[in-house]
Amino acid sequence: QLKTSLKEAILLDYYTAGFCWAKEMNFSLIQLSGFMDLLNFLLENLSDKHMTLGDNLKELGKAMAGIGETDSERSGDLNFFSIEQAKAVIDYL
């Protein structure tokens, strides 16, 4: 007779779906961790900062900027993704 929290169920589904997708993509442990951080970052932008979808997409672009570039000043924190993987992440999101 446990009560089900709809909010908790949705969050569980959100993170589980993301985790399963990343595993299907054969992401390494560091890539999987980075992807889960990215999911959390984007969700916090929506829930805590009340960003619009457009603004959140801009933040995603900033986070993904520089992937695949050799210039260390342009490569971001997510530079452990290949260009193809970064495109797949964007498509997923």
Side-chain angles (χ1 to χ4, degrees):
Q1 300 287 353
L2 295 175
K3 289 185 178 180
T4 300
S5 165
L6 186 56
K7 181 179 178 181
E8 289 177 3
I10 290 168
L11 287 174
L12 180 62
D13 188 52
Y14 174 76
Y15 287 111
T16 301
F19 180 83
C20 290
W21 178 83
K23 288 294 285 181
E24 289 175 8
M25 292 293 296
N26 294 316
F27 283 174
S28 68
L29 188 57
I30 187 111
Q31 291 169 327
L32 183 60
S33 177
F35 178 70
M36 297 305 290
D37 284 344
L38 188 59
L39 287 179
N40 189 56
F41 169 71
L42 296 173
L43 185 61
E44 284 180 353
N45 284 347
L46 292 172
S47 63
D48 297 342
K49 298 178 183 177
H50 305 289
M51 283 188 181
T52 65
L53 180 59
D55 289 341
N56 213 4
L57 289 174
K58 288 178 187 175
E59 289 297 313
L60 174 61
K62 289 178 189 176
M64 303 294 272
I67 290 177
E69 293 188 17
T70 55
D71 184 359
S72 61
E73 289 183 18
R74 280 281 300 158
S75 62
D77 292 340
L78 300 173
N79 59 359
F80 42 77
F81 287 120
S82 69
I83 293 171
E84 293 78 24
Q85 289 170 325
K87 287 178 182 178
V89 167
I90 291 168
D91 286 345
Y92 175 79
L93 296 170

Coordinates of all heavy atoms in Angstrom, one line a residue:
Q1 N 0.8 -1.2 0.0 CA 0.0 0.0 0.0 C 0.9 1.3 0.0 O 0.5 2.2 0.7 CB -0.9 0.0 1.2 CG -1.9 -1.2 1.3 CD -3.0 -1.0 0.3 OE1 -3.2 0.0 -0.4 NE2 -3.8 -2.1 0.1
L2 N 2.0 1.2 -0.7 CA 2.8 2.4 -0.8 C 2.2 3.4 -1.8 O 1.7 3.0 -2.8 CB 4.2 2.0 -1.3 CG 5.0 1.1 -0.4 CD1 6.3 0.7 -1.1 CD2 5.3 1.8 0.9
K3 N 2.4 4.7 -1.4 CA 1.9 5.7 -2.3 C 3.0 6.0 -3.3 O 4.2 5.9 -3.0 CB 1.7 7.0 -1.5 CG 0.5 7.0 -0.6 CD 0.3 8.3 0.0 CE -1.0 8.3 0.9 NZ -1.2 9.6 1.5
T4 N 2.6 6.2 -4.6 CA 3.5 6.4 -5.6 C 3.5 7.9 -5.9 O 2.5 8.5 -6.1 CB 3.1 5.7 -6.9 OG1 3.1 4.3 -6.7 CG2 4.1 6.0 -8.1
S5 N 4.7 8.5 -5.9 CA 4.9 9.9 -6.2 C 5.1 10.0 -7.7 O 6.1 9.5 -8.2 CB 6.1 10.5 -5.4 OG 6.5 11.7 -6.0
L6 N 4.2 10.7 -8.3 CA 4.3 10.9 -9.8 C 5.6 11.6 -10.2 O 6.3 11.2 -11.1 CB 3.1 11.7 -10.3 CG 3.0 11.8 -11.8 CD1 3.0 10.4 -12.5 CD2 1.7 12.6 -12.2
K7 N 6.0 12.6 -9.4 CA 7.2 13.4 -9.7 C 8.4 12.4 -9.6 O 9.3 12.4 -10.4 CB 7.4 14.5 -8.7 CG 8.6 15.3 -8.9 CD 8.7 16.5 -7.9 CE 10.0 17.2 -8.1 NZ 10.2 18.3 -7.2
E8 N 8.5 11.6 -8.5 CA 9.6 10.7 -8.4 C 9.6 9.6 -9.5 O 10.7 9.2 -10.0 CB 9.6 10.0 -7.0 CG 9.9 11.0 -5.9 CD 9.9 10.3 -4.5 OE1 9.6 9.1 -4.4 OE2 10.1 11.0 -3.5
A9 N 8.4 9.2 -9.9 CA 8.3 8.2 -11.0 C 8.8 8.8 -12.3 O 9.5 8.1 -13.1 CB 6.9 7.7 -11.1
I10 N 8.5 10.0 -12.6 CA 8.9 10.7 -13.8 C 10.4 10.9 -13.8 O 11.1 10.6 -14.8 CB 8.2 12.0 -14.0 CG1 6.7 11.8 -14.3 CG2 8.8 12.9 -15.1 CD1 5.8 13.0 -14.2
L11 N 11.0 11.3 -12.6 CA 12.4 11.4 -12.5 C 13.2 10.1 -12.7 O 14.2 10.1 -13.4 CB 12.8 12.1 -11.2 CG 12.5 13.5 -11.0 CD1 12.8 14.0 -9.6 CD2 13.3 14.4 -12.0
L12 N 12.6 9.1 -12.1 CA 13.2 7.8 -12.3 C 13.2 7.3 -13.8 O 14.2 6.8 -14.3 CB 12.5 6.7 -11.4 CG 13.0 5.3 -11.5 CD1 14.4 5.2 -11.0 CD2 12.1 4.4 -10.7
D13 N 12.1 7.6 -14.4 CA 12.0 7.2 -15.8 C 12.9 8.0 -16.7 O 13.6 7.5 -17.6 CB 10.5 7.4 -16.3 CG 10.3 6.9 -17.7 OD1 10.6 5.8 -18.0 OD2 9.8 7.7 -18.5
Y14 N 13.1 9.3 -16.4 CA 13.9 10.2 -17.1 C 15.4 9.8 -17.1 O 16.1 9.6 -18.1 CB 13.8 11.7 -16.5 CG 14.7 12.7 -17.1 CD1 14.5 13.3 -18.3 CD2 15.8 13.2 -16.3 CE1 15.4 14.3 -18.8 CE2 16.7 14.1 -16.8 CZ 16.4 14.7 -18.0 OH 17.3 15.7 -18.5
Y15 N 15.9 9.5 -15.9 CA 17.3 9.1 -15.7 C 17.5 7.6 -16.2 O 18.5 7.3 -16.8 CB 17.7 9.2 -14.3 CG 17.9 10.7 -13.9 CD1 17.1 11.3 -13.0 CD2 18.9 11.4 -14.4 CE1 17.2 12.6 -12.6 CE2 19.1 12.8 -14.1 CZ 18.3 13.4 -13.2 OH 18.5 14.7 -12.9
T16 N 16.5 6.8 -16.0 CA 16.7 5.4 -16.4 C 16.7 5.3 -17.9 O 17.5 4.6 -18.5 CB 15.5 4.5 -15.9 OG1 15.5 4.6 -14.4 CG2 15.7 3.1 -16.3
A17 N 15.8 6.0 -18.6 CA 15.8 6.0 -20.1 C 17.1 6.6 -20.6 O 17.7 6.0 -21.6 CB 14.6 6.9 -20.6
G18 N 17.6 7.6 -20.0 CA 18.9 8.2 -20.4 C 20.1 7.2 -20.2 O 20.9 7.0 -21.1
F19 N 20.1 6.6 -19.1 CA 21.1 5.6 -18.7 C 21.1 4.4 -19.7 O 22.1 4.0 -20.3 CB 21.0 5.1 -17.3 CG 22.0 4.1 -16.9 CD1 23.2 4.5 -16.5 CD2 21.7 2.8 -17.0 CE1 24.2 3.6 -16.1 CE2 22.7 1.8 -16.6 CZ 23.9 2.3 -16.1
C20 N 19.9 3.9 -20.0 CA 19.8 2.8 -20.9 C 20.2 3.2 -22.3 O 20.9 2.4 -23.0 CB 18.4 2.2 -20.9 SG 17.9 1.4 -19.4
W21 N 19.9 4.4 -22.8 CA 20.3 4.8 -24.1 C 21.8 4.9 -24.2 O 22.4 4.5 -25.1 CB 19.6 6.2 -24.4 CG 20.1 6.7 -25.7 CD1 19.5 6.4 -27.0 CD2 21.1 7.6 -26.0 NE1 20.2 7.0 -28.0 CE2 21.2 7.8 -27.4 CE3 22.0 8.3 -25.2 CZ2 22.1 8.7 -28.0 CZ3 22.9 9.2 -25.8 CH2 23.0 9.3 -27.2
A22 N 22.4 5.5 -23.1 CA 23.9 5.7 -23.1 C 24.6 4.3 -23.1 O 25.6 4.1 -23.7 CB 24.3 6.5 -21.9
K23 N 24.0 3.4 -22.4 CA 24.6 2.0 -22.4 C 24.5 1.4 -23.7 O 25.4 0.7 -24.2 CB 23.9 1.1 -21.3 CG 24.2 1.5 -19.9 CD 25.7 1.2 -19.5 CE 25.9 -0.3 -19.4 NZ 27.3 -0.6 -19.0
E24 N 23.3 1.6 -24.4 CA 23.2 1.0 -25.8 C 24.2 1.7 -26.8 O 24.5 1.0 -27.8 CB 21.7 1.3 -26.3 CG 20.7 0.4 -25.6 CD 19.3 0.8 -26.0 OE1 19.1 1.6 -26.9 OE2 18.4 0.2 -25.4
M25 N 24.6 2.9 -26.5 CA 25.6 3.6 -27.3 C 27.0 3.1 -27.0 O 27.9 3.6 -27.6 CB 25.5 5.1 -27.1 CG 24.2 5.7 -27.6 SD 24.0 5.7 -29.4 CE 25.4 6.7 -29.9
N26 N 27.1 2.2 -26.0 CA 28.4 1.7 -25.6 C 29.4 2.8 -25.1 O 30.6 2.8 -25.4 CB 29.1 0.9 -26.7 CG 28.3 -0.4 -27.1 OD1 27.9 -1.1 -26.2 ND2 28.1 -0.6 -28.3
F27 N 28.8 3.8 -24.4 CA 29.6 4.8 -23.8 C 30.6 4.2 -22.8 O 30.2 3.3 -22.1 CB 28.8 5.9 -23.2 CG 28.1 6.8 -24.1 CD1 27.2 7.8 -23.7 CD2 28.4 6.8 -25.5 CE1 26.6 8.7 -24.5 CE2 27.8 7.7 -26.4 CZ 26.9 8.6 -25.9
S28 N 31.7 4.8 -22.7 CA 32.7 4.4 -21.6 C 32.1 4.9 -20.3 O 31.1 5.6 -20.3 CB 34.1 4.9 -21.9 OG 34.0 6.4 -21.7
L29 N 32.7 4.5 -19.2 CA 32.3 4.9 -17.9 C 32.3 6.4 -17.8 O 31.4 7.0 -17.3 CB 33.1 4.2 -16.8 CG 32.7 4.5 -15.4 CD1 31.2 4.0 -15.2 CD2 33.6 3.7 -14.4
I30 N 33.4 7.0 -18.2 CA 33.5 8.5 -18.1 C 32.5 9.2 -19.0 O 31.9 10.2 -18.7 CB 34.9 9.0 -18.5 CG1 35.1 10.5 -18.2 CG2 35.3 8.7 -19.9 CD1 35.9 10.8 -17.0
Q31 N 32.2 8.6 -20.2 CA 31.2 9.2 -21.1 C 29.8 9.0 -20.5 O 29.0 9.9 -20.6 CB 31.2 8.5 -22.5 CG 32.5 8.9 -23.3 CD 32.7 8.0 -24.5 OE1 32.3 6.8 -24.5 NE2 33.2 8.6 -25.5
L32 N 29.5 7.9 -19.9 CA 28.3 7.6 -19.3 C 28.0 8.6 -18.1 O 27.0 9.2 -18.0 CB 28.2 6.2 -18.8 CG 26.9 5.7 -18.1 CD1 25.8 5.8 -19.1 CD2 27.1 4.3 -17.6
S33 N 29.1 8.8 -17.3 CA 29.0 9.8 -16.2 C 28.7 11.2 -16.7 O 27.9 11.9 -16.2 CB 30.3 9.7 -15.4 OG 30.2 10.7 -14.4
G34 N 29.5 11.6 -17.8 CA 29.3 12.9 -18.4 C 27.9 13.1 -18.9 O 27.3 14.2 -18.8
F35 N 27.4 12.0 -19.6 CA 26.0 12.1 -20.1 C 25.0 12.3 -19.0 O 24.0 13.1 -19.1 CB 25.7 10.9 -21.0 CG 24.3 10.9 -21.5 CD1 24.0 11.8 -22.6 CD2 23.4 10.0 -21.1 CE1 22.7 11.8 -23.1 CE2 22.1 10.0 -21.6 CZ 21.8 10.9 -22.6
M36 N 25.1 11.5 -17.9 CA 24.2 11.6 -16.8 C 24.3 13.0 -16.2 O 23.3 13.6 -15.8 CB 24.4 10.5 -15.8 CG 24.2 9.1 -16.3 SD 22.6 8.8 -17.0 CE 21.6 8.9 -15.6
D37 N 25.5 13.6 -16.1 CA 25.7 14.9 -15.6 C 24.9 15.9 -16.5 O 24.3 16.9 -16.0 CB 27.1 15.3 -15.5 CG 27.8 14.7 -14.3 OD1 27.1 14.2 -13.4 OD2 29.1 14.7 -14.3
L38 N 25.0 15.7 -17.8 CA 24.4 16.6 -18.8 C 22.8 16.5 -18.6 O 22.2 17.5 -18.6 CB 24.8 16.2 -20.2 CG 24.3 17.1 -21.3 CD1 24.9 18.5 -21.1 CD2 24.8 16.6 -22.6
L39 N 22.3 15.3 -18.4 CA 20.9 15.2 -18.2 C 20.4 15.9 -16.9 O 19.4 16.6 -16.9 CB 20.5 13.7 -18.0 CG 20.5 12.8 -19.2 CD1 20.1 11.4 -18.8 CD2 19.5 13.3 -20.3
N40 N 21.2 15.8 -15.9 CA 20.9 16.5 -14.6 C 21.0 18.0 -14.8 O 20.2 18.8 -14.3 CB 21.9 16.1 -13.5 CG 21.5 16.6 -12.2 OD1 20.4 16.3 -11.7 ND2 22.4 17.3 -11.5
F41 N 22.1 18.5 -15.5 CA 22.3 19.9 -15.8 C 21.1 20.5 -16.5 O 20.5 21.6 -16.1 CB 23.5 20.1 -16.6 CG 23.8 21.5 -17.2 CD1 24.1 22.5 -16.4 CD2 23.7 21.7 -18.6 CE1 24.3 23.8 -16.9 CE2 23.9 22.9 -19.1 CZ 24.2 24.0 -18.3
L42 N 20.6 19.8 -17.6 CA 19.5 20.3 -18.4 C 18.2 20.3 -17.6 O 17.4 21.2 -17.7 CB 19.3 19.5 -19.6 CG 20.5 19.6 -20.6 CD1 20.4 18.6 -21.8 CD2 20.7 21.0 -21.1
L43 N 18.0 19.3 -16.8 CA 16.8 19.2 -15.9 C 16.8 20.3 -14.9 O 15.7 21.0 -14.6 CB 16.6 17.9 -15.3 CG 15.4 17.6 -14.5 CD1 14.1 17.7 -15.4 CD2 15.4 16.3 -13.8
E44 N 17.9 20.6 -14.3 CA 18.0 21.7 -13.3 C 17.7 23.0 -13.9 O 17.1 23.9 -13.3 CB 19.4 21.7 -12.6 CG 19.5 20.6 -11.6 CD 20.9 20.6 -10.9 OE1 21.8 21.4 -11.4 OE2 21.1 19.8 -10.0
N45 N 18.2 23.2 -15.2 CA 17.9 24.5 -15.9 C 16.4 24.7 -16.0 O 15.9 25.8 -15.9 CB 18.6 24.5 -17.3 CG 20.0 24.7 -17.2 OD1 20.6 25.1 -16.2 ND2 20.7 24.5 -18.4
L46 N 15.7 23.6 -16.3 CA 14.2 23.7 -16.4 C 13.5 23.9 -15.1 O 12.7 24.8 -15.0 CB 13.7 22.5 -17.2 CG 14.1 22.3 -18.6 CD1 13.6 20.9 -19.1 CD2 13.5 23.4 -19.5
S47 N 13.9 23.1 -14.1 CA 13.1 23.1 -12.9 C 13.6 24.2 -11.9 O 12.7 24.8 -11.3 CB 13.3 21.7 -12.2 OG 14.6 21.4 -11.9
D48 N 14.9 24.4 -11.8 CA 15.3 25.4 -10.8 C 15.4 26.8 -11.4 O 15.1 27.8 -10.7 CB 16.7 25.0 -10.2 CG 16.6 23.7 -9.5 OD1 15.5 23.2 -9.1 OD2 17.7 23.1 -9.2
K49 N 16.0 26.9 -12.6 CA 16.2 28.2 -13.2 C 15.0 28.7 -14.1 O 15.0 29.8 -14.6 CB 17.5 28.2 -14.0 CG 18.7 27.9 -13.2 CD 20.0 27.9 -14.0 CE 21.2 27.5 -13.2 NZ 22.4 27.4 -14.0
H50 N 14.1 27.7 -14.3 CA 12.9 28.0 -15.1 C 13.2 28.5 -16.5 O 12.6 29.5 -17.0 CB 11.9 29.0 -14.4 CG 11.6 28.5 -13.0 ND1 10.7 27.4 -12.8 CD2 11.9 28.9 -11.8 CE1 10.6 27.2 -11.5 NE2 11.3 28.1 -10.9
M51 N 14.3 28.0 -17.1 CA 14.7 28.4 -18.5 C 13.7 27.9 -19.5 O 13.0 26.8 -19.3 CB 16.0 27.7 -18.8 CG 17.2 28.4 -18.2 SD 18.7 27.7 -18.9 CE 19.9 28.6 -18.1
T52 N 13.5 28.6 -20.5 CA 12.7 28.1 -21.6 C 13.5 27.0 -22.4 O 14.7 26.8 -22.2 CB 12.4 29.3 -22.6 OG1 13.7 29.7 -23.2 CG2 11.8 30.5 -22.0
L53 N 12.7 26.3 -23.2 CA 13.4 25.2 -24.0 C 14.5 25.8 -24.9 O 15.6 25.2 -25.0 CB 12.3 24.5 -24.8 CG 12.8 23.3 -25.7 CD1 13.5 22.3 -24.8 CD2 11.7 22.7 -26.5
G54 N 14.2 27.0 -25.5 CA 15.2 27.6 -26.3 C 16.4 28.0 -25.6 O 17.6 27.7 -26.1
D55 N 16.3 28.6 -24.4 CA 17.5 28.9 -23.6 C 18.2 27.7 -23.2 O 19.5 27.7 -23.1 CB 17.0 29.7 -22.4 CG 16.6 31.1 -22.7 OD1 16.9 31.6 -23.9 OD2 15.9 31.8 -21.9
N56 N 17.5 26.6 -22.8 CA 18.2 25.4 -22.4 C 18.9 24.8 -23.6 O 20.0 24.2 -23.4 CB 17.1 24.4 -21.9 CG 17.7 23.6 -20.8 OD1 18.8 23.7 -20.3 ND2 16.9 22.6 -20.3
L57 N 18.4 24.9 -24.8 CA 19.1 24.4 -26.0 C 20.4 25.2 -26.2 O 21.4 24.6 -26.6 CB 18.2 24.4 -27.2 CG 17.1 23.3 -27.2 CD1 16.2 23.5 -28.4 CD2 17.7 21.9 -27.2
K58 N 20.3 26.5 -25.9 CA 21.5 27.3 -26.1 C 22.6 26.8 -25.0 O 23.8 26.8 -25.4 CB 21.2 28.8 -25.8 CG 20.4 29.4 -27.0 CD 20.1 30.8 -26.7 CE 19.2 31.4 -27.8 NZ 18.7 32.8 -27.4
E59 N 22.2 26.5 -23.8 CA 23.1 26.0 -22.8 C 23.7 24.7 -23.2 O 24.9 24.5 -23.0 CB 22.4 25.9 -21.5 CG 22.0 27.2 -20.8 CD 23.3 28.0 -20.5 OE1 24.2 27.5 -19.9 OE2 23.3 29.2 -20.8
L60 N 22.9 23.9 -23.9 CA 23.4 22.6 -24.4 C 24.5 22.8 -25.4 O 25.5 22.2 -25.4 CB 22.3 21.7 -25.0 CG 22.7 20.4 -25.7 CD1 23.4 19.5 -24.7 CD2 21.4 19.8 -26.3
G61 N 24.2 23.8 -26.3 CA 25.2 24.2 -27.3 C 26.5 24.6 -26.7 O 27.6 24.3 -27.2
K62 N 26.4 25.5 -25.7 CA 27.6 25.9 -25.0 C 28.4 24.8 -24.4 O 29.6 24.7 -24.4 CB 27.2 27.0 -23.9 CG 26.8 28.3 -24.5 CD 26.4 29.2 -23.3 CE 25.7 30.5 -23.8 NZ 25.3 31.3 -22.6
A63 N 27.6 23.8 -23.8 CA 28.3 22.7 -23.1 C 29.0 21.8 -24.1 O 30.0 21.2 -23.8 CB 27.3 21.9 -22.3
M64 N 28.4 21.7 -25.3 CA 28.9 20.8 -26.3 C 30.0 21.5 -27.2 O 30.6 20.8 -28.0 CB 27.8 20.2 -27.2 CG 26.7 19.5 -26.4 SD 27.3 18.0 -25.6 CE 27.0 16.8 -26.9
A65 N 30.1 22.8 -27.1 CA 31.0 23.5 -28.0 C 32.4 23.0 -27.8 O 32.9 22.8 -26.7 CB 30.9 25.0 -27.6
G66 N 33.1 23.0 -29.0 CA 34.5 22.6 -29.0 C 34.8 21.1 -29.0 O 36.0 20.7 -29.1
I67 N 33.8 20.3 -29.0 CA 34.0 18.8 -29.0 C 34.7 18.5 -30.4 O 34.2 18.9 -31.4 CB 32.8 18.0 -28.8 CG1 32.3 18.2 -27.4 CG2 32.9 16.6 -29.2 CD1 31.0 17.5 -27.1
G68 N 35.8 17.8 -30.3 CA 36.5 17.4 -31.6 C 37.5 18.4 -32.0 O 38.3 18.1 -32.9
E69 N 37.6 19.5 -31.4 CA 38.6 20.5 -31.8 C 39.9 20.2 -31.0 O 39.9 19.8 -29.8 CB 38.2 21.9 -31.5 CG 37.0 22.3 -32.4 CD 36.6 23.8 -32.3 OE1 37.5 24.6 -31.8 OE2 35.6 24.1 -32.7
T70 N 41.0 20.5 -31.6 CA 42.3 20.2 -30.9 C 42.8 21.4 -30.1 O 43.6 21.2 -29.2 CB 43.4 19.9 -32.0 OG1 43.5 21.0 -32.9 CG2 43.1 18.6 -32.7
D71 N 42.3 22.5 -30.3 CA 42.7 23.7 -29.5 C 42.1 23.6 -28.1 O 40.9 23.5 -27.9 CB 42.1 25.0 -30.2 CG 42.5 26.3 -29.5 OD1 43.3 26.2 -28.5 OD2 42.2 27.4 -29.9
S72 N 43.0 23.5 -27.1 CA 42.5 23.2 -25.8 C 41.6 24.3 -25.2 O 40.9 24.1 -24.3 CB 43.7 23.0 -24.9 OG 44.5 24.1 -24.8
E73 N 41.8 25.6 -25.8 CA 40.9 26.6 -25.3 C 39.5 26.5 -25.8 O 38.6 27.0 -25.1 CB 41.5 28.0 -25.8 CG 42.8 28.4 -25.1 CD 43.3 29.7 -25.6 OE1 42.5 30.5 -26.1 OE2 44.5 30.0 -25.3
R74 N 39.3 25.8 -26.9 CA 37.9 25.7 -27.4 C 37.2 24.4 -26.9 O 36.0 24.4 -26.9 CB 38.0 25.6 -29.0 CG 38.1 27.0 -29.6 CD 36.8 27.7 -29.7 NE 35.8 27.0 -30.4 CZ 34.5 27.1 -30.3 NH1 34.0 28.0 -29.5 NH2 33.6 26.4 -31.0
S75 N 38.0 23.4 -26.6 CA 37.4 22.2 -26.1 C 36.7 22.3 -24.8 O 37.4 22.9 -23.9 CB 38.4 21.0 -26.2 OG 39.4 21.2 -25.3
G76 N 35.5 21.9 -24.6 CA 34.8 22.0 -23.4 C 35.0 20.9 -22.4 O 35.9 20.0 -22.6
D77 N 34.2 20.8 -21.4 CA 34.3 19.8 -20.4 C 33.8 18.4 -20.9 O 34.1 17.4 -20.3 CB 33.4 20.1 -19.2 CG 34.0 21.3 -18.4 OD1 35.2 21.6 -18.6 OD2 33.2 21.9 -17.7
L78 N 33.2 18.4 -22.0 CA 32.6 17.1 -22.6 C 33.5 16.6 -23.8 O 33.0 15.9 -24.6 CB 31.2 17.3 -23.0 CG 30.2 17.8 -21.9 CD1 28.8 18.1 -22.6 CD2 30.0 16.7 -20.9
N79 N 34.8 17.0 -23.8 CA 35.6 16.6 -24.9 C 36.0 15.1 -24.9 O 36.7 14.7 -25.8 CB 36.9 17.5 -24.9 CG 37.7 17.4 -23.6 OD1 37.3 16.6 -22.7 ND2 38.8 18.1 -23.6
F80 N 35.4 14.3 -24.0 CA 35.6 12.9 -24.1 C 34.6 12.2 -25.0 O 34.7 11.0 -25.3 CB 35.5 12.3 -22.7 CG 34.4 12.8 -21.9 CD1 33.1 12.4 -22.1 CD2 34.7 13.7 -20.9 CE1 32.1 12.9 -21.3 CE2 33.7 14.2 -20.1 CZ 32.4 13.8 -20.3
F81 N 33.7 13.0 -25.6 CA 32.8 12.5 -26.6 C 33.4 12.8 -28.0 O 34.0 13.8 -28.2 CB 31.4 13.2 -26.6 CG 30.6 12.8 -25.5 CD1 30.2 13.7 -24.5 CD2 30.1 11.5 -25.3 CE1 29.3 13.4 -23.5 CE2 29.3 11.1 -24.3 CZ 28.9 12.1 -23.3
S82 N 33.2 11.8 -28.9 CA 33.6 12.1 -30.3 C 32.6 13.0 -30.9 O 31.5 13.2 -30.4 CB 33.7 10.7 -31.1 OG 32.4 10.2 -31.3
I83 N 32.8 13.5 -32.1 CA 31.9 14.3 -32.8 C 30.6 13.5 -33.1 O 29.5 14.0 -32.9 CB 32.5 14.9 -34.1 CG1 33.6 15.9 -33.8 CG2 31.4 15.6 -35.0 CD1 34.4 16.3 -35.0
E84 N 30.7 12.3 -33.5 CA 29.6 11.4 -33.8 C 28.7 11.2 -32.6 O 27.5 11.2 -32.6 CB 30.0 10.1 -34.4 CG 30.6 10.2 -35.8 CD 32.1 10.7 -35.8 OE1 32.8 10.5 -34.8 OE2 32.5 11.3 -36.8
Q85 N 29.4 10.9 -31.4 CA 28.7 10.7 -30.2 C 28.0 12.0 -29.7 O 26.9 11.9 -29.3 CB 29.7 10.2 -29.1 CG 30.2 8.8 -29.3 CD 31.3 8.5 -28.4 OE1 32.1 9.3 -28.0 NE2 31.4 7.2 -28.0
A86 N 28.7 13.1 -29.9 CA 28.1 14.4 -29.5 C 26.8 14.7 -30.4 O 25.8 15.1 -29.8 CB 29.1 15.5 -29.7
K87 N 26.8 14.3 -31.6 CA 25.7 14.5 -32.5 C 24.5 13.6 -32.0 O 23.4 14.0 -32.0 CB 26.0 14.2 -33.9 CG 26.8 15.3 -34.6 CD 27.2 14.9 -36.0 CE 28.1 16.0 -36.7 NZ 28.4 15.6 -38.1
A88 N 24.9 12.4 -31.6 CA 23.9 11.4 -31.1 C 23.3 11.9 -29.8 O 22.1 11.8 -29.6 CB 24.5 10.0 -31.0
V89 N 24.1 12.5 -29.0 CA 23.6 13.0 -27.7 C 22.6 14.1 -28.0 O 21.5 14.2 -27.4 CB 24.7 13.5 -26.8 CG1 24.2 14.4 -25.7 CG2 25.6 12.3 -26.3
I90 N 22.9 15.0 -28.9 CA 22.1 16.1 -29.2 C 20.8 15.6 -29.8 O 19.7 16.1 -29.5 CB 22.8 17.1 -30.2 CG1 23.9 17.9 -29.4 CG2 21.8 18.1 -30.8 CD1 24.8 18.6 -30.3
D91 N 20.9 14.6 -30.7 CA 19.7 14.0 -31.3 C 18.8 13.4 -30.2 O 17.6 13.5 -30.3 CB 20.0 13.0 -32.4 CG 20.5 13.6 -33.6 OD1 20.3 14.8 -33.9 OD2 21.1 12.8 -34.4
Y92 N 19.4 12.7 -29.3 CA 18.7 12.1 -28.2 C 17.9 13.1 -27.4 O 16.7 13.0 -27.1 CB 19.6 11.3 -27.3 CG 18.9 10.7 -26.1 CD1 18.1 9.5 -26.2 CD2 18.9 11.3 -24.8 CE1 17.4 9.0 -25.1 CE2 18.2 10.8 -23.7 CZ 17.5 9.7 -23.9 OH 16.8 9.2 -22.8
L93 N 18.6 14.2 -27.0 CA 18.0 15.2 -26.2 C 17.0 16.0 -26.9 O 16.0 16.4 -26.4 CB 19.1 16.1 -25.6 CG 20.1 15.4 -24.7 CD1 21.2 16.3 -24.3 CD2 19.3 15.0 -23.4

